[in-house]
Structure formats: C-alpha cells, structure tokens
Amino acid sequence: MRKTDLVRFKKIFTEQRDQILMNVTIVDENLMVRPEDKDEVDQANADIEQSMRMQLKNRETFTLRKITEALKRIDEGSYGACQSCEEPIELRRLQARPTTTLCIACKEEEEKMSATSILGHRFEFVH
Ligand SMILES: [Zn+2]
C-alpha cells in the first residue's frame, strides 16, 4: 500500500477513535446522573434508558477495539494485507470497510463456510 494511502487511513482511524472516546465519555457522564426521588415508572424508564446506553457503549467499545487494532497494523506495516492469504486487500474494499482484515475472496470463503454450517445445522434440526 502507498504511504499516502496509509497516512489517509491513519487519519480516518484517529478521528474515529477520538469521536468514539468522546461519545463514551458523554455516555459515562449521563449514566452517573440518577435523580433520587423516582417512582417505579420513572425507575423502569431509567433502567431501559440505561441498558440502551450500555448497548451503545458496548458497540462503541467493539468498534474502538477494531480501530485500535487497525492503527496497530498500520504501525507494524501489516495494514491492508489479508490476514488469511496475506495478499493485499483491494483498496476499494478498505475504503468501504477500513477495519476489515480479509480480502474479498477470503471473506466470501468465510461467509460460504458459515452459511454451510447454518444449513447443516438446519438439516439436522429437520430430521
Ligand atoms: Zn485473502
């Protein structure tokens, strides 16, 4: 991969990471706001709200981990190489999904495998 592309991806990841870190901080601050005088309905709503926030936070943590891994690969010089066949991943694919670690061929292979296992499972289930 060209250095200019690497620099561009690094910038994308750094910005995404900062954005997520900011969101997570906001979520944390909101979680701490718990008024004490609540009736049961308020409490139930607050619980739902809190679990939604936790879900959001989990998702952001997951994305953050993928971004951190991608930044690490950029530093190590392995970014943009397929982790399965070690061929360079198509630039177009990386632009669409910058944190991907598989080339299209390997990704399709992986999806075929998981589709087969789901079908196999269903087959067993029917019998
Ligand atoms: Zn591959």
Side-chain angles (χ1 to χ4, degrees):
M1 180 176 288
R2 285 180 312 180
K3 193 157 169 58
T4 48
D5 288 325
L6 272 180
V7 170
R8 204 169 64 227
F9 278 116
K10 191 164 183 169
K11 190 165 175 287
I12 292 171
F13 288 134
T14 313
E15 281 171 7
Q16 277 185 346
R17 187 185 57 188
D18 291 348
Q19 184 66 42
I20 290 173
L21 286 176
M22 210 166 71
N23 286 346
V24 169
T25 312
I26 291 166
V27 169
D28 275 343
E29 279 168 5
N30 285 343
L31 277 177
M32 279 186 273
V33 180
R34 299 294 297 256
E36 280 157 36
D37 52 340
K38 276 188 176 202
D39 61 29
E40 271 178 41
V41 177
D42 276 351
Q43 186 57 51
N45 284 340
D47 288 346
I48 291 166
E49 216 179 293
Q50 179 165 358
S51 85
M52 276 168 67
R53 285 205 182 105
M54 289 307 288
Q55 269 179 24
L56 177 76
K57 194 178 170 182
N58 287 342
R59 202 166 54 218
E60 304 236 301
T61 309
F62 177 75
T63 312
L64 190 63
R65 202 168 59 217
K66 297 206 71 149
I67 291 171
T68 310
E69 282 167 8
L71 279 168
K72 199 170 142 232
R73 287 199 302 274
I74 289 179
D75 286 339
E76 286 169 350
S78 64
Y79 180 76
C82 174
Q83 287 195 329
S84 179
C85 68
E86 291 173 14
E87 291 292 319
I89 300 171
E90 300 79 0
L91 192 60
R92 251 201 337 218
R93 173 163 166 74
L94 283 171
Q95 277 159 351
R97 295 204 52 189
T99 55
T100 192
T101 55
L102 292 174
C103 70
I104 287 179
C106 291
K107 182 70 193 167
E108 278 174 0
E109 195 60 32
E110 191 193 74
E111 275 165 10
K112 216 159 60 190
M113 297 270 284
S114 66
T116 313
S117 72
I118 290 165
L119 279 175
H121 188 73
R122 210 175 275 160
F123 189 71
E124 275 174 24
F125 184 73
V126 169
H127 288 262

